[in-house]
């Protein structure tokens, strides 16, 4: 009965915090490289290309669509886990740059850039997450073109600083 009480309280905590209770997802979320490496090394033929599946407790819809481990790490700016994972991939996921932009960690973005990740069509993501420095970098350094749709997204996502920059 004490075990049931513990599980219920833990379950309530995950639900309240809006956190996926999967051990891998949680270690990626908090940049716990020790737990991630322990899990991956303890499982024979660990699949680094696996996806974090949807979970009803996950509060962030951006990652609650079934994303790769490295995308999850990029989104949560978990630099240590990201560096560990990048060496495990022979080909990085196509949408990794979008997750890196959403996470906003410049070191992760630089690693993605060094690995020739595709930054095309990431303006929507940077508008959504209100990162003005990355917005300017995408336009000035990555030659992203602003569209009417991007202007509408600025209004939709309440990013008036980006809208002002575009105008």
């Amino acid at each position: 009965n004490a075990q049931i009480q513990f599980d219920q309280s833990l379950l309530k905590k995950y639900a309240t915090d809006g956190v996926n209770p999967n051990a891998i997802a949680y270690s990626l979320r908090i940049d716990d490289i020790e737990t991630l490496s322990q899990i991956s090394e303890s499982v024979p033929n660990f699949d680094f290309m696996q996806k974090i599946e949807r979970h009803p407790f996950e509060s962030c819809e951006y990652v609650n669509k079934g994303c790769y481990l490295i995308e999850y790490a990029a989104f949560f700016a978990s630099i240590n886990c990201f560096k560990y994972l990048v060496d495990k991939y022979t080909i990085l996921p196509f949408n990794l740059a979008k997750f890196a932009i959403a996470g906003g960690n410049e070191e992760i973005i630089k690693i993605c850039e060094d690995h020739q990740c595709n930054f095309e069509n990431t303006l929507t993501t940077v508008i959504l997450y209100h990162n003005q420095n990355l917005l300017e970098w995408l336009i000035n350094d990555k030659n992203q073109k602003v569209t009417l749709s991007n202007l509408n997204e600025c209004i939709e996502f309440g990013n008036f600083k980006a809208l002002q920059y575009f105008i």
Side-chain angles (χ1 to χ4, degrees):
N1 201 10
Q3 180 65 31
I4 292 171
Q5 288 289 66
F6 174 76
D7 289 347
Q8 285 178 345
S9 67
L10 195 56
L11 201 62
K12 186 175 181 179
K13 178 181 175 13
Y14 286 135
T16 302
D17 292 349
V19 173
N20 185 333
N22 173 293
I24 297 169
Y26 192 72
S27 65
L28 291 170
R29 186 182 203 109
I30 64 169
D31 202 17
D32 182 355
I33 186 63
E34 290 177 23
T35 300
L36 178 62
S37 61
Q38 285 173 357
I39 293 170
S40 65
E41 291 167 11
S42 68
V43 175
N45 300 316
F46 183 83
D47 182 11
F48 289 98
M49 291 295 292
Q50 68 181 287
K51 291 187 173 188
I52 302 290
E53 296 302 324
R54 288 185 58 83
H55 195 278
F57 293 165
E58 177 58 64
S59 61
C60 182
E61 277 303 309
Y62 202 85
V63 294
N64 203 22
K65 299 174 184 172
C67 62
Y68 293 103
L69 302 180
I70 197 165
E71 291 172 335
Y72 205 85
F75 180 84
F76 287 107
S78 298
I79 186 63
N80 297 312
C81 290
F82 185 87
K83 286 178 178 178
Y84 175 76
L85 290 169
V86 80
D87 291 333
K88 307 294 183 188
Y89 282 74
T90 50
I91 298 173
L92 294 174
F94 181 77
N95 286 319
L96 181 58
K98 287 183 182 181
F99 287 87
I101 292 291
N105 182 292
E106 291 181 13
E107 190 174 354
I108 289 174
I109 291 167
K110 175 72 173 117
I111 293 168
C112 288
E113 192 177 25
D114 291 345
H115 283 83
Q116 283 80 44
C117 287
N118 181 5
F119 284 90
E120 288 181 33
N121 301 315
T122 54
L123 273 180
T124 297
T125 305
V126 81
I127 291 167
L128 173 64
Y129 287 96
H130 294 246
N131 190 318
Q132 190 68 20
N133 291 336
L134 288 178
L135 175 100
E136 293 177 20
W137 175 75
L138 287 171
I139 291 170
N140 297 329
D141 294 5
K142 292 295 181 187
N143 300 313
Q144 296 262 337
K145 301 296 179 223
V146 179
T147 66
L148 181 58
S149 180
N150 294 135
L151 297 176
N152 288 330
E153 290 161 350
C154 289
I155 295 166
E156 179 183 350
F157 303 136
N159 192 337
F160 301 110
K161 192 170 185 179
L163 183 63
Q164 183 179 19
Y165 180 79
F166 292 153
I167 297 173

